[in-house]
């Protein structure tokens, strides 16, 4: 299915989204690396030293480490582990505004053998179609060459940064004890007043709905399919309008699934959403929604789990491999 996601829009931006949105996450290092890469590539740098890259990498991790765990709870760390060093040096580095010499050394030492080897990797032994950097040189003199593909996407990277931060927030919350178990077992909920994704158990804000979902739509409005730019006014569209749940004599009269959950919510241009109003989705929009949801199903927990919980309430045994067209046809039939 990751192949299908790429074929829909074969580009360097899609390769980047595959790496960030759909790769496995045993820690959050790749998000910190992605943020550091975008920072330098946006300056049109063709190369940086490993130590230069390690500085923003370490500082972004410290920012997130202050709010949530960056590895699964209960994961034991050796004294020389990068995260262990980061915890010890967090206060001093924060005061300095840059990593301590010890933290910078730990980052530069660990990056080539871990996160930089794995960033382009996808499941099943495959890799992204585009590469975003190459590392040359020996220990102490390593140079990171930023590819033309990375520099191109970084020039308009505000959306990619938002998607990266949203995915980072989701993953680190799934690492937290208690919160993580809830997210992995039950998925997430949506607070429509704030347009925030929350964990169901504590209603704790995790990230924004638009930032969490838009990458799976290739950064495009689900209604008109045009890109949603950084200055565009956006809305979160109920693809099947929420009014359906009250149109049938109250919520108890609605025979379909809950329409206030992730599977039915899609970022859109505010103008497109206003024009659409309460009409039912077209067959083309349903096809796009099915593709978007299939893409989310390829991502790690908890967004994947959220969709699995929605599917559980509708029988789709005849379409186990591609359940979303069947699910959406069921919802359409419920509209009478």
């Amino acid at each position: 299915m990751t192949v299908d996601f790429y074929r829909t829009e074969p580009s360097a931006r899609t390769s980047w989204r595959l790496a960030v949105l759909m790769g496995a996450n045993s820690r959050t290092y790749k998000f910190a690396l992605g943020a550091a890469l975008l920072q330098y590539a946006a300056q049109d740098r063709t190369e940086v030293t490993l130590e230069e890259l390690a500085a923003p990498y370490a500082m972004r991790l410290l920012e997130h480490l202050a709010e949530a765990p960056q590895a699964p709870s209960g994961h034991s760390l050796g004294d020389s582990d990068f995260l262990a060093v980061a915890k010890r040096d967090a206060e001093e580095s924060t005061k300095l505004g840059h990593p301590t010499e010890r933290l910078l050394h730990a980052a530069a030492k660990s990056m080539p053998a871990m996160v930089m080897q794995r960033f382009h990797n996808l499941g099943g032994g495959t890799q992204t179609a585009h590469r975003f950097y190459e590392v040359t040189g020996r220990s102490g003199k390593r140079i990171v060459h930023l590819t033309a593909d990375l520099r191109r996407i970084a020039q308009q990277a505000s959306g990619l940064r938002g998607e990266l931060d949203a995915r980072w927030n989701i993953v680190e919350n799934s690492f937290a004890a208690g919160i993580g178990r809830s997210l992995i077992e039950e998925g997430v909920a949506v607070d429509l007043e704030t347009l925030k994704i929350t964990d169901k158990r504590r209603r704790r804000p995790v990230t924004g709905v638009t930032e969490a979902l838009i990458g799976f739509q290739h950064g495009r409005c689900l209604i008109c399919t045009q890109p949603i730019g950084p200055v565009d006014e956006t809305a979160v569209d109920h693809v099947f309008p929420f009014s359906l749940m009250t149109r049938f004599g109250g919520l108890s009269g609605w025979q379909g699934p809950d329409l206030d959950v992730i599977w039915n919510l899609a970022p859109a241009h505010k103008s497109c959403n206003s024009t659409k109003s309460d009409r039912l989705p077209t067959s083309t929009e349903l096809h796009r929604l099915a593709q978007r949801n299939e893409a989310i199903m390829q991502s790690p927990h908890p967004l994947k789990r959220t969709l699995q919980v929605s599917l559980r309430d509708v029988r789709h045994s005849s379409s186990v491999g591609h359940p979303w067209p069947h699910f959406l046809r069921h919802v359409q039939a419920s509209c009478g």
Side-chain angles (χ1 to χ4, degrees), residues 63-100:
E63 291 172 14
H64 280 259
L65 189 58
E67 301 295 332
Q70 302 303 302
S73 298
H75 190 87
S76 59
L77 300 174
D79 288 342
S80 61
D81 187 285
F82 172 64
L83 276 182
V85 178
K87 289 179 180 180
R88 291 196 299 270
D89 284 30
E91 183 176 357
E92 184 179 355
S93 296
T94 301
K95 287 181 179 178
L96 290 171
H98 58 80
T100 63

Side-chain angles (χ1 to χ4, degrees), residues 29-38 53 57 111 115-116 119 133:
Y29 294 162
K30 76 174 178 183
F31 304 122
L33 175 59
L37 289 169
L38 288 176
L53 192 66
Y57 168 86
M111 290 167 67
V115 65
M116 298 194 79
F119 186 85
Y133 57 85

Side-chain angles (χ1 to χ4, degrees), residues 49-51 104-113 135-143:
T49 66
L50 181 60
E51 288 73 18
L104 186 65
H105 174 75
K109 181 180 179 180
S110 65
M111 290 167 67
V135 183
T136 61
R138 297 182 179 180
S139 179
K141 296 182 180 179
R142 285 193 170 99
I143 300 297

Side-chain angles (χ1 to χ4, degrees), residues 2-137:
T2 55
V3 173
D4 292 340
F5 183 76
Y6 181 77
R7 283 176 178 167
T8 299
E9 190 166 315
S11 68
R13 291 175 73 90
T14 300
S15 287
W16 178 272
R17 286 179 167 124
L18 281 170
V20 170
L21 300 177
M22 299 185 187
N25 304 289
S26 59
R27 299 191 181 189
T28 63
Y29 294 162
K30 76 174 178 183
F31 304 122
L33 175 59
L37 289 169
L38 288 176
Q39 176 179 322
Y40 282 113
Q43 300 170 18
D44 206 27
R45 295 277 297 270
T46 59
E47 61 182 44
V48 295
T49 66
L50 181 60
E51 288 73 18
E52 283 182 293
L53 192 66
Y57 168 86
M59 294 306 291
R60 286 303 306 275
L61 268 168
L62 290 186
E63 291 172 14
H64 280 259
L65 189 58
E67 301 295 332
Q70 302 303 302
S73 298
H75 190 87
S76 59
L77 300 174
D79 288 342
S80 61
D81 187 285
F82 172 64
L83 276 182
V85 178
K87 289 179 180 180
R88 291 196 299 270
D89 284 30
E91 183 176 357
E92 184 179 355
S93 296
T94 301
K95 287 181 179 178
L96 290 171
H98 58 80
T100 63
E101 185 175 341
R102 177 170 55 185
L103 180 57
L104 186 65
H105 174 75
K109 181 180 179 180
S110 65
M111 290 167 67
M114 292 196 312
V115 65
M116 298 194 79
Q117 283 193 5
R118 301 172 184 171
F119 186 85
H120 298 102
N121 291 351
L122 302 174
T126 61
Q127 292 197 336
T128 58
H130 299 78
R131 295 191 69 82
F132 301 108
Y133 57 85
E134 298 290 345
V135 183
T136 61

Side-chain angles (χ1 to χ4, degrees), residues 247-260:
R247 190 181 298 171
F248 293 86
L251 297 183
S252 60
W254 167 243
Q255 299 302 310
D258 188 352
L259 301 179
D260 265 346

Side-chain angles (χ1 to χ4, degrees), residues 255-268:
Q255 299 302 310
D258 188 352
L259 301 179
D260 265 346
V261 289
I262 293 294
W263 72 264
N264 188 47
L265 300 176

